[in-house]
Amino acid sequence: MKKIVLIIMFLFIFSSFSFSADDQEESKKGILRELGVYGGYAKGHLDRQGPYHVAQMGLRFGFDMNPLLAKIHLKPPIGEFDFVIEPFINPIIDPRSNVELGAALMFKYMLPLSKRFSIYAEFGAAPSYYTLHTQEQSTQFNFIDQAGGGFYVFLKDGLALNAGYRRRHMSNASIKRPNSGINTDSYLLGLSYFK
């Protein structure tokens, strides 16, 4: 399992650096504002199976919402609103090797505090499927509701490291019982390109 996790992490990181200059120029013309990769760790507890530990890996695609908000006269005086799509593959470490798969749909507000430092808040949900069978959840198809925040440190124009925290709640939206949910605390690190 460790070899599979390392191979997947390598593929995510390699794909984030493999864009040509032409691809980057093309993305600057559209509404794509952020392209990134992230990893992290989430921990929680299952009532009957003990610790729930997850390695997190995903891509981040951030789309500029400010032009849309300006059209309906809601553009904030400062900061940036983005709609973010985050496809992920999260290996479950405990209680036994499994995986979470899905794509998070998030709203993010980023506030620059200086040229090199910005803070952000975000919230959203992710339709997900996980291979682990638990007594908390009667289905393996679930939704992950999450909210959190963090910061970006810009290494140079257009390139930033970020760190963040998310509180996650996984449940099946009462499709089937039991549906007591799984709560986790998630800690993330990433690298993003901005136009």
Side-chain angles (χ1 to χ4, degrees):
M1 181 66 178
K2 289 181 182 178
K3 288 181 182 179
I4 293 171
V5 170
L6 291 173
I7 289 169
I8 292 170
M9 288 176 68
F10 174 78
L11 291 174
F12 273 118
I13 292 168
F14 178 77
S15 67
S16 71
F17 289 104
S18 65
F19 298 98
S20 68
D22 292 337
D23 291 336
Q24 290 176 359
E25 283 302 312
E26 188 63 31
S27 71
K28 289 181 182 181
K29 296 176 187 174
I31 59 170
L32 183 66
R33 183 200 315 259
E34 178 183 4
L35 178 61
V37 61
Y38 69 90
Y41 173 74
K43 65 178 183 172
H45 187 79
L46 302 173
D47 290 337
R48 295 182 179 97
Q49 292 167 286
Y52 183 71
H53 296 168
V54 180
Q56 295 186 270
M57 298 182 294
L59 299 174
R60 178 176 293 137
F61 301 94
F63 299 91
D64 187 358
M65 288 187 60
N66 282 355
L68 175 65
L69 295 174
K71 286 183 182 179
I72 57 175
H73 308 292
L74 290 176
K75 187 176 186 304
I78 56 173
E80 301 168 347
F81 275 105
D82 286 352
F83 176 70
V84 179
I85 300 173
E86 291 182 352
F88 60 84
I89 300 174
N90 296 338
I92 299 170
I93 301 163
D94 283 322
R96 56 191 173 276
S97 296
N98 278 277
V99 68
E100 297 175 348
L101 303 167
L105 307 174
M106 308 275 289
F107 291 100
K108 181 178 78 175
Y109 174 69
M110 187 166 74
L111 178 66
L113 299 180
S114 72
K115 184 178 178 182
R116 299 282 184 211
F117 188 79
S118 296
I119 58 174
Y120 68 89
E122 60 189 357
F123 70 93
S128 64
Y129 177 83
Y130 69 122
T131 58
L132 179 67
H133 293 275
T134 70
Q135 294 183 7
E136 282 80 4
Q137 294 305 114
S138 57
T139 63
Q140 291 175 278
F141 176 76
N142 288 281
F143 298 93
I144 300 174
D145 301 322
Q146 52 192 348
F151 60 88
Y152 287 93
V153 177
F154 285 83
L155 305 174
K156 61 180 185 177
D157 288 345
L159 180 64
L161 289 173
N162 66 71
Y165 166 82
R166 291 179 186 166
R167 179 69 174 173
R168 303 187 327 152
H169 171 77
M170 184 187 306
S171 67
N172 66 24
S174 296
I175 294 169
K176 188 176 177 185
R177 302 266 176 212
N179 183 39
S180 59
I182 301 169
N183 296 316
T184 58
D185 295 299
S186 178
Y187 307 93
L188 303 170
L189 291 173
L191 182 67
S192 291
Y193 294 100
F194 288 86
K195 71 173 196 171

